[in-house]
Amino acid sequence: MATTDEVYRRLREYRDELTLPSGFAWPEISAGQILMMMSPSTAHDFNAIRLRRQLDVQLTAGLLAATTGDVEDIGHGVLRRPDVFVYPEAEFEAAAERGDAALDPHAILLAIEIVSPSNPENDYEGKMRDYPAMGIPHYLIVDPRNGTCVHHWAISVKNGVPTYEGTAPYVFGDKITIAEWTLDTGELRRYKKAAASG
């Protein structure tokens, strides 16, 4: 019988050898499964870029805001691709020099996910399980479907399961302070409703 680590390594090898059909983003791995996702929409990416730009002007030397890259916790069998994350530049550079295919999630200071209409449970459930287990201290969910955000922080372990203790809801238009950064959600845009057919 294969161990969790062996199952993860097989999934990772399979994922890295995939030829993705048009319209699909690089898959994530969680809970012993490869998670296939559609490529993000322009509206999704617009919000990610706006948030990254806000962070860029506030980050102290040595930190950067990224909108691409795998983060991997082999011990938990998880590989994720946050929409926006704050990461030490030196860690990013060291991983690039080593030729690492993924970054260490324990160095992430903030992860932001922009909810996609097709799979909101990935951000509200899967990443709510994975991000505290990976030691990510701040997790912000931005939901353009309804113009809301939720900031999660303060990891604690209950019954052997890491979870966020702190939770604060917001609506688009609010300013959100996370650590030493402030994000103006008034710059974000809600998804347009699909045009009615017929």
Side-chain angles (χ1 to χ4, degrees):
M1 184 170 180
T3 66
T4 302
D5 187 55
E6 290 169 336
V7 168
Y8 176 75
R9 288 185 188 281
R10 287 181 193 154
L11 289 172
R12 178 62 195 268
E13 288 172 8
Y14 179 76
R15 181 251 193 198
D16 291 347
E17 293 173 2
L18 283 173
T19 301
L20 295 177
S22 177
F24 280 86
W26 275 105
E28 297 178 327
I29 301 172
S30 179
Q33 299 178 17
I34 291 180
L35 307 173
M36 297 291 291
M37 291 167 283
M38 298 297 293
S39 293
S41 66
T42 303
H44 174 284
D45 289 346
F46 175 86
N47 284 324
I49 290 166
R50 281 275 170 102
L51 290 167
R52 190 203 72 219
R53 284 182 177 168
Q54 288 186 36
L55 287 165
D56 281 342
V57 298
Q58 298 178 67
L59 295 176
T60 56
L63 294 177
L64 57 82
T67 54
T68 185
D70 291 335
V71 294
E72 179 178 49
D73 188 324
I74 295 171
H76 286 95
V78 176
L79 184 143
R80 291 293 193 174
R81 294 180 64 85
D83 291 321
V84 183
F85 60 100
V86 174
Y87 203 75
E89 188 169 358
E91 293 278 339
F92 219 120
E93 184 177 15
E97 288 180 3
R98 290 191 304 267
D100 290 353
L103 301 168
D104 178 3
H106 297 92
I108 292 177
L109 303 176
L110 164 65
I112 302 174
E113 295 292 353
I114 316 294
V115 176
S116 296
S118 60
N119 62 344
E121 63 282 348
N122 189 36
D123 298 319
Y124 283 107
E125 296 171 18
K127 291 175 185 176
M128 277 295 294
R129 175 190 64 240
D130 292 343
Y131 284 175
M134 296 165 88
I136 296 173
H138 294 276
Y139 174 33
L140 179 65
I141 300 173
V142 175
D143 195 337
R145 298 173 311 158
N146 57 15
T148 62
C149 302
V150 184
H151 172 209
H152 300 280
W153 75 96
I155 299 170
S156 68
V157 178
K158 293 186 176 179
N159 300 318
V161 178
T163 187
Y164 290 112
E165 285 283 321
T167 299
Y170 298 91
V171 296
F172 281 19
D174 290 342
K175 291 188 177 177
I176 303 173
T177 299
I178 300 174
E180 62 266 30
W181 315 301
T182 299
L183 298 172
D184 182 358
T185 65
E187 291 190 6
L188 304 179
R189 296 294 171 260
R190 293 182 63 169
Y191 294 139
K192 300 273 187 209
K193 300 264 192 274
S197 60

